[in-house]
Amino acid sequence: GAVVSQHPSRVICKSGTSVKIECRSLDFQATTMFWYRQFPKQSLMLMATSNEGSKATYEQGVEKDKFLINHASLTLSTLTVTSAHPEDSSFYICSARGPGRTSGDTQYFGPGTRLTVL
Amino acid sequence: GESVGLHLPTLSVQEGDNSIINCAYSNSASDYFIWYKQESGKGPQFIIDIRSNMDKRQGQRVTVLLNKTVKHLSLQIAATQPGDSAVYFCAERGGGGGNKLTFGTGTQLKVEL
C-alpha cells in the first residue's frame, strides 16, 4: 500500500516552454501532497504543500507563478513549470501523506521526474 | 534556523557487517522522525520511523535510536548487503501539528564485497 507514481519520469524541453508533472496516489486518497526539488548530490528541498481543493502553500523563495500546483482530486496533484529555463533543470519529487491515523504522519514518495531544460 | 545534519557524508562497510548512520537535529520541538533510503535516480523509500515519545524502534534488519537529550538519531542496519548501498536521509517533523518534513544532508552508504 501507499504507492505514489509520477509521470513523466524524464522530460527534456526547450527553454521558454512549460512542463507539467503529475503525481498520483495509486491505492489511497491523499488530501495533502508535497513537491520537492533535488539537485545532484544534495538533499530534498520542499517547494510547496499541495492541499486538495485549496491553494498550495509555497515555501519561501519559491515563485508560485512559475511553479503552478493544482490538487484537483484526492489522488492527483500536478506541478507545472512555466517558461522553463536551464536553471530549472532538476529532479522533481512528489510525496503524499500516508492513509490512516498512524501512517498519516509519513510521507510516501514518488519515483521522481528528471527535468532537463535545453 | 532549524536544521538536520549528518555527521558522515560517506560510510563504507563490508558486506555482512553492521552499519550505523547518524543524524543530528536542532529542533527540540520535533516530534516525529523518519529514515529514507534513496537509490540513484529514484525517489526516497521509507525505511522506518519513530515518534519522540520513544527511544528505540526495530524493523526488519533496521533499528532506529532516538536520543532527545543530545538531539541525535541513528539508523542501524544489521548484516549489511550490497542492495543496501544508497543515500540515506533522516527527516524530522517540527512540532505544532504541521506536516512538513526537514531533511538532513544525506549519507552515502557503500557496501564493499
Side-chain angles (χ1 to χ4, degrees):
Chain A
V3 178
V4 178
S5 70
Q6 275 184 247
H7 178 80
S9 59
R10 185 180 298 268
V11 58
I12 301 173
C13 69
K14 293 182 178 179
S15 184
T17 61
S18 295
V19 174
K20 178 184 284 188
I21 303 170
E22 294 185 348
C23 177
R24 294 182 185 274
S25 56
L26 297 185
D27 52 359
F28 66 103
Q29 294 182 332
T31 56
T32 305
M33 291 182 173
F34 303 86
W35 287 96
Y36 294 82
R37 183 173 180 175
Q38 186 179 33
F39 291 105
K41 299 190 183 302
Q42 293 189 23
S43 189
L44 285 74
M45 296 299 296
L46 179 65
M47 299 175 66
T49 302
S50 171
N51 297 298
E52 187 269 335
S54 64
K55 292 184 178 180
T57 303
Y58 290 82
E59 295 300 299
Q60 189 173 11
V62 178
E63 301 176 57
K64 62 179 181 180
D65 294 330
K66 181 169 183 61
F67 299 99
L68 301 179
I69 292 173
N70 186 343
H71 195 152
S73 77
L74 288 171
T75 59
L76 173 64
S77 176
T78 61
L79 168 68
T80 301
V81 183
T82 62
S83 186
H85 291 283
E87 57 266 29
D88 298 324
S89 298
S90 188
F91 194 49
Y92 292 87
I93 316 172
C94 72
S95 71
R97 285 184 63 191
R101 282 196 306 162
T102 53
S103 61
D105 293 325
T106 306
Q107 291 184 27
Y108 295 91
F109 284 82
T113 297
R114 174 74 60 193
L115 171 63
T116 303
V117 184
L118 303 177
Chain B
E2 299 171 1
S3 65
V4 178
L6 299 181
H7 296 302
L8 297 173
T10 302
L11 176 64
S12 295
V13 299
Q14 294 290 322
E15 181 181 7
D17 287 351
N18 296 334
S19 302
I20 300 176
I21 301 172
N22 296 302
C23 178
Y25 64 94
S26 59
N27 184 1
S28 58
S30 291
D31 61 354
Y32 179 61
F33 304 85
I34 311 174
W35 280 101
Y36 288 96
K37 172 187 179 182
Q38 187 178 28
E39 297 176 350
S40 182
K42 298 183 179 180
Q45 175 187 356
F46 171 86
I47 300 175
I48 193 168
D49 59 357
I50 189 168
R51 299 185 188 281
S52 59
N53 60 353
M54 303 172 67
D55 53 21
K56 180 179 181 180
R57 191 160 188 229
Q58 289 184 290
Q60 188 176 13
R61 279 204 307 122
V62 294
T63 301
V64 55
L65 299 177
L66 175 62
N67 186 330
K68 293 181 291 294
T69 301
V70 295
K71 296 200 282 286
H72 184 267
L73 190 71
S74 69
L75 175 69
Q76 299 178 1
I77 304 173
T80 312
Q81 303 168 359
D84 294 327
S85 294
V87 177
Y88 289 80
F89 292 98
C90 64
E92 64 172 330
R93 184 183 70 179
N99 294 307
K100 294 195 298 184
L101 295 177
T102 300
F103 281 78
T105 55
T107 292
Q108 174 77 56
L109 176 64
K110 295 183 178 180
V111 181
E112 300 173 348
L113 302 178

